[in-house]
Amino acid sequence: IGSSREVAKFPALEGYATDMPATLDRWLIGAAFHGLQAAAAGADTAAALFSLTGRSPQDELMVARSGGFRKTVLMLQRRTKQIRIPAPKAARVGQIVVAGRLHGLEVLPADDTRLENNRVILYFHGGAHCFFSPSMYEWFLGCLAIYARARVVAIDYRKAPQHPFPAAIEDAVLAFDWTRERFPTASIAVAGDSAGGNLACALLVSL
């Protein structure tokens, strides 16, 4: 990852993300700190898994199902859930509850004249189906809302190992149905990165 000051020089970010250098570096440092703490605490389990990479799937699965690995993943979940990278000032962020149980964010351009009401993006964050939350993606979601001139909905879907497959896909379908009911005339785009991209594709297959 390059310096956020270098990223801020890109023309697409001029004007709307001028607050990024003052915030993103600080939050990246915080994220790295939490990650190092978690990695240090779970070093033995992580080392055991990495040492098995390339060997049989049965060996990898044995470690992944071990109590030590589960403990490490749960600790990483708690750590990474604390990370929040605030949205640009040109975006506004609101807390939402989808279908009465899924927490998430609704992100819009702060300037109402820059919002096309018929555009909605349902976004699923990455994190290996185990980590992170929409709060860590606030800055990215804000930029997405600004430049797409759209309303962005992001949910904190259920994650493994507490909620194994197909819990996350069920949440994705629930979020899509909720979004369609709430904005019946809107064009809804589905997007995501990494594990979230997987969820986006699985959602489309499920519809």
Side-chain angles (χ1 to χ4, degrees):
I1 299 175
S3 165
S4 65
R5 289 173 178 78
E6 294 174 0
V7 177
K9 293 177 183 177
F10 280 77
L13 299 180
E14 289 179 2
Y16 293 103
T18 53
D19 53 328
M20 183 180 64
T23 58
L24 189 54
D25 277 344
R26 184 172 69 252
W27 289 107
L28 285 174
I29 290 171
F33 175 74
H34 284 302
L36 287 171
Q37 281 187 319
D44 292 341
T45 302
L49 180 63
F50 292 143
S51 70
L52 292 172
T53 300
R55 298 189 184 180
S56 73
Q58 290 82 2
D59 287 342
E60 295 180 355
L61 192 59
M62 179 182 67
V63 174
R65 286 177 171 171
S66 68
F69 186 77
R70 180 185 176 91
K71 181 179 179 181
T72 301
V73 170
L74 294 177
M75 178 186 56
L76 282 167
Q77 281 184 350
R78 291 192 298 271
R79 299 279 187 175
T80 58
K81 199 149 190 171
Q82 297 172 15
I83 301 170
R84 175 177 173 260
I85 303 177
K89 293 177 182 176
R92 68 175 188 269
V93 180
Q95 302 283 335
I96 59 172
V97 179
V98 173
R101 67 175 181 84
L102 287 177
H103 292 271
L105 298 177
E106 183 177 56
V107 187
L108 305 90
D111 182 354
D112 289 336
T113 64
R114 294 192 58 82
L115 174 65
E116 299 286 346
N117 284 314
N118 65 335
R119 294 181 185 174
V120 178
I121 299 173
L122 178 60
Y123 192 89
F124 302 103
H125 67 81
H129 293 288
C130 296
F131 309 114
F132 307 146
S133 71
S135 295
M136 185 172 174
Y137 279 69
E138 274 188 32
W139 185 85
F140 172 77
L141 297 174
C143 290
L144 188 60
I146 292 164
Y147 296 111
R149 303 174 71 96
R151 182 186 310 269
V152 180
V153 173
I155 63 161
D156 192 7
Y157 54 85
R158 289 175 293 171
K159 299 173 180 67
Q162 309 97 306
H163 305 287
F165 174 88
I169 297 176
E170 292 171 351
D171 289 350
V173 173
L174 184 67
F176 180 82
D177 290 342
W178 178 88
T179 303
R180 187 170 53 182
E181 290 174 8
R182 189 177 179 204
F183 308 104
T185 62
S187 296
I188 302 173
V190 177
D193 68 285
S194 193
N198 177 276
L199 271 185
C201 290
L203 167 62
L204 295 177
V205 172
S206 300
L207 295 179

